[in-house]
Amino acid sequence: MKAKIYVVLIALVTSLSLCAQTSGTCGPNLTWTLNNGVLRVSGEGNMTSAPWLEDDVEQDVIHAIIGDSVTNICRRAFYKDKELMSISIGNRVSNIGEEAFEDCHSLKTVSLPNSVKSIEKEAFYDCYLTSINLGDSIVSIGESAFGYGDFNTITLPSSITSIGWRSRSKSVV
């Protein structure tokens, strides 16, 4: 009887671990893998979804690496990912989507490559950022993009042509 119970338990644990997603697609030509808290997005083109946030993914994203041929970070890509501590953004990303990093409380610093042209509405809303490097090519910043940030100053490059309402934290230089 004990042997049958052990076999059933082993089968159950095995089937549960097989269901936990650790890789897949996140765009027509993009793939993702998550291993030991490190998310890697690779391929070429637009990110259209963030399957690593779904309930069947067993690990939290602690560090994200967005590949050099990815062209955007999609809406809500890391939404409310309270464990995300750092992100490396590839040099072809031109757009940070709406609410992409909203409520990422462990994310303290961000450095955007010069390829980023726009940061959409609430992209870094309620993050506890202490430092952000916007790069030299930002053209537009959406409404409340940095609302409730924890930094005192944001230095904006001269390339900015549009800033949405409530897009600043305590001060904008």
Side-chain angles (χ1 to χ4, degrees):
M1 180 70 167
K2 283 185 182 180
K4 286 183 182 181
I5 291 173
Y6 287 125
V7 170
V8 170
L9 285 175
I10 291 170
L12 180 62
V13 169
T14 302
S15 68
L16 287 176
S17 65
L18 291 175
C19 293
Q21 207 175 353
T22 58
S23 65
T25 61
C26 55
N29 298 308
L30 296 180
T31 59
W32 67 275
T33 58
L34 181 57
N35 188 16
N36 294 323
V38 177
L39 172 75
R40 293 180 190 279
V41 177
S42 56
E44 186 173 348
N46 284 326
M47 181 189 299
T48 58
S49 65
W52 48 86
L53 293 179
E54 295 175 8
D55 290 338
D56 62 344
V57 175
E58 151 179 316
Q59 345 173 12
D60 291 318
V61 176
I62 297 167
H63 177 68
I65 301 167
I66 308 299
D68 282 337
S69 295
V70 177
T71 56
N72 75 309
I73 296 176
C74 71
R75 180 180 190 271
R76 293 188 166 196
F78 298 94
Y79 182 75
K80 294 189 177 190
D81 188 337
K82 302 222 187 293
E83 303 302 319
L84 182 67
M85 296 176 72
S86 64
I87 183 157
S88 300
I89 300 173
N91 60 20
R92 284 194 52 210
V93 170
S94 63
N95 179 51
I96 308 294
E98 187 174 310
E99 302 170 337
F101 297 96
E102 183 174 327
D103 287 333
C104 289
H105 295 169
S106 296
L107 188 62
K108 302 296 182 203
T109 64
V110 172
S111 184
L112 301 178
N114 287 332
S115 58
V116 175
K117 305 279 188 246
S118 65
I119 300 171
E120 292 187 24
K121 176 182 173 183
E122 299 177 353
F124 294 96
Y125 186 85
D126 201 19
C127 287
Y128 298 161
L129 292 175
T130 57
S131 171
I132 186 162
N133 177 349
L134 294 176
D136 294 329
S137 300
I138 298 283
V139 175
S140 69
I141 297 175
E143 180 180 328
S144 297
F146 301 107
Y148 296 103
D150 215 17
F151 39 78
N152 290 319
T153 304
I154 304 172
T155 302
L156 300 176
S158 60
S159 57
I160 295 276
T161 60
S162 170
I163 300 177
W165 186 56
R166 293 192 228 170
S167 286
R168 60 182 184 261
S169 183
K170 297 173 187 162
S171 65
V172 176
V173 176

